[in-house]
Amino acid sequence: MRKVITYGTFDLFHEGHHNLLQRAKALGDYLIVGVTTDHFDEARGKINVVDSCLERVESVRKSGLADEIIIEDHAGQKMEDIQKYNVDIFTVGSDWVGTFDYLNKFCQVVYLDRTPDISSTMLRSSHFKIVRVGIVGTGRIAVRFMAEEKFVSGMNIVSAFNPETDSGNMFHKKYGIKIYSGDYGEFLDGVDAVYIASPNETHYEYAKNAIKAGKHVLCENPIALDRQGAVELLELAEERGIVLLEGIKTAYCPGFQQLINTARSGQIGEIRDIEACFTRLADPNSRECTDAQFGGAFLEYAAYTLLPVFKLYGTNYKDVEIHSITREDGLDSYTKIDLVYDQGMATAKCGVGVKTEGQLVISGSKGYILAESPWWLTRKFKIRYEDPNKVESFEPKFQGDGLRYEMSEFVARINKIDRNKYLLTPEEAIAMSEITEMFMKERKSRKKKE
Ligand code: CTP
């Protein structure tokens, strides 16, 4: 009996997949089909797959061509499977010519002609209109957004807006996209959605006008500098059926979700303390180090450090105290936020002028979770117990600098792919702005006293 094996994602199962399986089957007597897991696809940079792993397995099963279906979940597995299942022929489509020649050591490798003019990528873009995105602001974060675009299918960055023409012109030179500097309405006319990466104090106004014009909004944190502003924006978006997503990239990283869910699972017992810390000695000429009114440590990093607290304790804190080390001009170079809940306590620390260990520690009645810097990207974390020899380590998948996960969530929500808002709930977004409001008030009163 000649055994044949092939692998694929088989998303939105199409004629090309059917033809490939048919020809693969014809190469031998028994066909094994490996279907990728969602995590494996994510790790390979395929983050816009529409069908779940089980749906994709079901599509392959329904084709009636597979004698056996297996799951592919890690790099190097092909070699293991070929030996484990005693495979004679490995085959894939001609888009992979050369890539799998190394498997020749174990079996025959056959590249089959790909069916022309059809692919899952094509189907994804015809099912869903490509979202035309305009960027508001052309600074550092906008540059990172441009770099990540190629990893997120379904969106096209078509223009940018910046009233400061010098920065806009530089951006145009680098990326060639159209830059608007005058009429925000005119800029909005040409897009379906905006990514707001402008200075903090301008987010609310840009977001509000975009929502009113019927455009979806992905807005860097904070969406508003006060509670009322956040509530207004979220309500306005809800009323108009517009997606409003706050850009706290950690919230969308798969590893962070795994860490939070591990903490919630009871593995470390009752959670009694959370300590989250994020500091970076920023360039002294950067906006966060020069803008005494809207720069500083809190506005730069507090959202990241508050996120695990809200995720694990909720947003009904009993008490908050904010302490800052401030420069003469009022800019906070280091800020500590202490929160008290019925269940336990938390400290969120952030700095642009003080450096400390950037770690997240979640302490429980049975053990603690330790995620070292950069925990906000959550590439790894550990669970530790009283017994120092007992340590559980986790290394979740993580690609790029994290932005692509929030971009992909944004596109999925616009396309109404069935997702609820658990990654960052409206209550959490409102609580972020509520604490921001307290901080801003304290900053103001400090200035007045001087
Ligand atoms: N395939 C094919 N003809 C096509 C599309 C896919 O023969 N028109 C083959 C691929 O070469 C691969 C298998 O089908 O061997 C599974 O491919 P998969 O990557 O799941 O499908 P694509 O449509 O190529 O997906 P995507 O657009 O997401 O890359």
Side-chain angles (χ1 to χ4, degrees):
M1 184 167 79
R2 278 168 76 75
K3 276 191 176 178
V4 182
I5 198 162
T6 189
Y7 295 86
T9 304
F10 303 104
D11 188 27
L12 302 169
F13 197 86
H14 55 68
E15 189 197 336
H17 295 144
H18 193 274
N19 290 345
L20 181 110
L21 293 183
Q22 210 165 31
R23 277 177 284 149
K25 172 109 178 164
L27 290 173
D29 311 300
Y30 189 85
L31 177 64
I32 304 173
V33 181
V35 178
T36 51
T37 62
D38 299 336
H39 268 107
F40 187 46
D41 274 324
E42 251 169 46
R44 301 188 303 152
K46 259 191 166 178
I47 52 178
N48 285 70
V49 174
V50 175
D51 292 338
S52 70
C53 178
L54 284 183
E55 285 165 330
R56 294 181 283 110
V57 165
E58 186 56 14
S59 307
V60 172
R61 192 192 63 75
K62 272 199 195 140
S63 75
L65 294 161
D67 295 292
E68 188 169 348
I69 300 175
I70 59 170
I71 293 294
E72 184 186 23
D73 75 351
H74 59 271
Q77 187 185 322
K78 292 185 177 74
M79 267 181 285
E80 295 160 20
D81 291 340
I82 288 168
Q83 297 171 84
K84 178 169 158 191
Y85 296 102
N86 257 325
V87 167
D88 301 286
I89 299 173
F90 165 89
T91 186
V92 273
S94 50
D95 42 328
W96 295 102
V97 168
T99 311
F100 297 108
D101 288 356
Y102 68 91
L103 295 174
N104 266 318
K105 265 194 248 147
F106 305 97
C107 67
Q108 190 186 342
V109 175
V110 177
Y111 298 103
L112 290 167
D113 280 344
R114 200 177 151 87
T115 308
D117 305 325
I118 179 97
S119 73
S120 305
T121 307
M122 254 175 66
L123 289 178
R124 283 194 284 267
S125 56
S126 64
H127 267 54
F128 307 112
K129 217 175 94 211
I130 300 280
V131 180
R132 294 169 306 159
V133 178
I135 307 183
V136 182
T138 49
R140 250 182 309 143
I141 317 174
V143 168
R144 294 218 310 267
F145 197 79
M146 292 299 296
E148 289 279 285
E149 180 203 16
K150 58 176 172 292
F151 300 102
V152 182
S153 52
M155 71 149 54
N156 224 342
I157 301 173
V158 294
S159 58
F161 178 84
N162 194 340
E164 285 174 22
T165 43
D166 280 357
S167 165
N169 287 341
M170 266 161 59
F171 206 74
H172 173 72
K173 254 193 210 145
K174 193 157 180 200
Y175 298 107
I177 58 172
K178 194 168 163 62
I179 310 288
Y180 293 82
S181 60
D183 186 346
Y184 186 54
E186 196 191 328
F187 157 76
L188 289 176
D189 282 345
V191 299
D192 308 305
V194 292
Y195 170 55
I196 300 178
S198 52
N200 292 326
E201 68 279 18
T202 64
H203 292 174
Y204 167 79
E205 211 54 42
Y206 280 133
K208 187 162 140 188
N209 289 328
I211 298 169
K212 280 188 172 164
K215 312 297 171 182
H216 302 287
V217 175
L218 170 59
C219 182
E220 271 302 314
N221 163 268
I223 52 174
L225 294 169
D226 56 23
R227 181 179 208 280
Q228 183 52 31
V231 171
E232 237 176 70
L233 290 180
L234 286 157
E235 280 179 2
L236 194 64
E238 186 76 31
E239 249 166 50
R240 309 207 171 192
I242 292 294
V243 176
L244 167 62
L245 208 64
E246 182 162 11
I248 303 173
K249 66 182 178 188
T250 307
Y252 308 97
C253 288
F256 182 71
Q257 293 155 44
Q258 190 183 340
L259 179 150
I260 292 297
N261 290 332
T262 304
R264 283 171 174 159
S265 73
Q267 209 158 332
I268 56 166
E270 297 293 333
I271 299 167
R272 297 299 184 213
D273 188 36
I274 301 168
E275 194 193 352
C277 186
F278 192 159
T279 65
R280 186 166 57 89
L281 291 181
D283 172 359
N285 299 315
S286 63
R287 185 188 34 80
E288 58 268 35
C289 287
T290 50
D291 182 349
Q293 215 182 342
F294 300 107
F298 181 98
L299 288 179
E300 198 62 18
Y301 298 123
Y304 295 95
T305 55
L306 288 170
L307 183 68
V309 181
F310 292 156
K311 285 276 167 219
L312 294 170
Y313 286 156
T315 54
N316 284 329
Y317 45 83
K318 277 200 326 202
D319 194 23
V320 186
E321 264 189 49
I322 307 175
H323 298 281
S324 295
I325 293 173
T326 40
R327 295 190 323 204
E328 265 177 21
D329 60 2
L331 184 141
D332 64 316
S333 55
Y334 189 64
T335 288
K336 211 169 184 181
I337 311 152
D338 285 314
L339 298 105
V340 181
Y341 287 77
D342 283 330
Q343 170 186 358
M345 53 187 121
T347 306
K349 295 192 274 186
C350 36
V352 291
V354 173
K355 188 71 200 161
T356 182
E357 189 64 50
Q359 60 184 16
L360 169 63
V361 186
I362 302 167
S363 310
S365 52
K366 292 186 187 160
Y368 66 95
I369 294 179
L370 170 66
E372 286 168 350
S373 165
W375 62 264
W376 45 93
L377 307 179
T378 333
R379 293 196 185 101
K380 55 183 183 202
F381 62 92
K382 283 184 183 142
I383 305 185
R384 295 186 154 181
Y385 301 90
E386 185 60 38
D387 175 357
N389 297 315
K390 193 176 159 198
V391 179
E392 288 159 56
S393 299
F394 300 80
E395 292 205 15
K397 303 277 186 248
F398 178 82
Q399 298 281 309
D401 75 351
L403 263 182
R404 70 185 64 170
Y405 295 111
E406 79 181 40
M407 291 159 84
S408 145
E409 174 73 10
F410 186 48
V411 174
R413 290 251 197 111
I414 292 172
N415 289 330
K416 302 213 165 32
I417 293 176
D418 198 17
R419 296 194 189 195
N420 72 33
K421 297 177 179 158
Y422 72 97
L423 295 178
L424 187 68
T425 66
E427 294 72 35
E428 287 158 359
I430 291 168
M432 296 279 175
S433 289
E434 186 172 276
I435 297 199
T436 305
E437 181 175 350
M438 287 178 207
F439 171 79
M440 293 306 279
K441 274 190 186 145
E442 275 183 31
R443 173 182 271 195
K444 242 193 186 153
S445 70
R446 253 195 329 261
K447 287 229 82 174
K448 265 192 199 144
K449 273 185 228 149
E450 285 157 16

